[in-house]
Amino acid sequence: MTRGKLITFEGIDGCGKTTQLRMLERILTGRNIPFVSTREPGGTDLGKMIRAALLNVSPHSVDPLAELLLYAADRAQHVREFIAPNLAKGILVLSDRFYDATTAYQGYGRGFDLTLINQLNNLATGGLKPDVTLLFDLDVATGMERIHRRSGDAADNTTDAQADRLDREPLEFHERVRNGYLELAHQEPKRYRIIPASGSIETVRPLVTEALRGII
Ligand code: TMP
């Protein structure tokens, strides 16, 4: 059986990748294409606990090295329990973030050595790479504005809709993350598709289907 394809969605906080993933799900369902969707952190039961431990706590309470290792632990479980078995069954897997997020946030953002990050990513994934990575590229000010609008709307306490720990990092951190992602896209042009994400949901949607032509 041919292995399923892995499509990952990346970008700074507020870039709209999760909304676009949901739109793509509808398109795939309409075309009767079997798929599963998932996310990091939090794609497994263990991952949900790691996600809560990482994101729903006060700033500065997670040491940067502990943070790096927790994302890697989440990923190791996720690849082995969920992603690899689905790919082996020939199913298309959509993932809201994958190891590039560690390179962008913990590597470029926090400043961990990129060689170490690559080794850790490789260990966690067992060498598994996405077939396509969609990078939703957006200026940081717009991303942060979207996040804060969203958290203002979330007075009903849905924790994921509230500004989480990394969203509260300074603008320069998010600038480094954005530039890190662009650097990664530059290094792997075959795998990456850069999607300009400043437009409305409806403007960005056709860019996603266009970027995935020949894949779905
Ligand atoms: P999300 O809001 O896209 O679900 O991502 C949760 C946060 O976790 C987001 O601020 C990015 C961050 N993150 C990392 O810093 N490193 C990682 O490896 C992953 C997967 C996410």
Side-chain angles (χ1 to χ4, degrees):
M1 182 183 288
T2 35
R3 169 193 174 280
K5 293 212 163 26
L6 173 61
I7 303 175
T8 57
F9 289 62
E10 300 281 359
I12 60 165
D13 298 83
C15 68
K17 65 186 166 43
T18 308
T19 304
Q20 293 300 329
L21 193 152
R22 296 277 103 85
M23 309 283 267
L24 182 62
E25 286 176 343
R26 270 184 242 152
I27 294 169
L28 293 169
T29 304
R31 292 187 194 170
N32 283 322
I33 299 174
F35 69 94
V36 289
S37 44
T38 185
R39 70 170 175 180
E40 287 193 357
T44 61
D45 286 346
L46 174 63
K48 289 189 182 82
M49 290 189 261
I50 294 174
R51 184 179 181 93
L54 277 168
L55 300 177
N56 302 341
V57 293
S58 69
H60 313 303
S61 61
V62 182
D63 175 84
L65 178 60
E67 177 189 72
L68 172 66
L69 296 173
L70 283 169
Y71 282 116
D74 168 75
R75 185 161 304 124
Q77 184 76 19
H78 192 208
V79 167
R80 284 157 188 78
E81 180 183 321
F82 189 82
I83 300 182
N86 275 295
L87 294 176
K89 282 188 251 167
I91 296 174
L92 171 66
V93 178
L94 311 179
S95 187
D96 191 342
R97 299 198 186 280
F98 197 39
Y99 65 82
D100 295 302
T102 295
T103 315
Y105 281 81
Q106 281 66 51
Y108 288 95
R110 296 254 191 262
F112 277 99
D113 177 66
L114 293 176
T115 307
L116 170 78
I117 297 266
N118 286 341
Q119 287 168 343
L120 198 53
N121 284 346
N122 222 24
L123 185 67
T125 60
L128 176 69
K129 279 180 169 272
D131 295 279
V132 177
T133 297
L134 302 176
L135 171 57
F136 293 85
D137 182 50
L138 182 68
D139 66 279
V140 167
T142 310
M144 291 302 105
E145 193 193 303
R146 286 183 186 173
I147 290 285
H148 293 125
R149 208 178 321 135
R150 207 192 295 163
S151 55
D153 291 347
D156 59 350
N157 269 323
T158 42
T159 40
D160 264 11
Q162 294 179 332
D164 64 29
R165 205 172 49 83
L166 281 141
D167 300 333
R168 290 188 235 125
E169 289 290 336
L171 283 188
E172 306 80 70
F173 174 83
H174 293 282
E175 291 286 1
R176 290 197 296 277
V177 174
R178 181 193 186 192
N179 290 331
Y181 270 127
L182 288 170
E183 175 61 29
L184 290 175
H186 179 71
Q187 285 168 12
E188 285 188 76
K190 283 218 176 84
R191 171 163 73 90
Y192 264 90
R193 314 268 193 280
I194 301 177
I195 313 244
S198 61
S200 66
I201 295 172
E202 285 307 323
T203 324
V204 177
R205 191 170 57 106
L207 305 180
V208 173
T209 36
E210 181 59 34
L212 294 175
R213 198 186 282 265
I215 300 279
I216 57 162

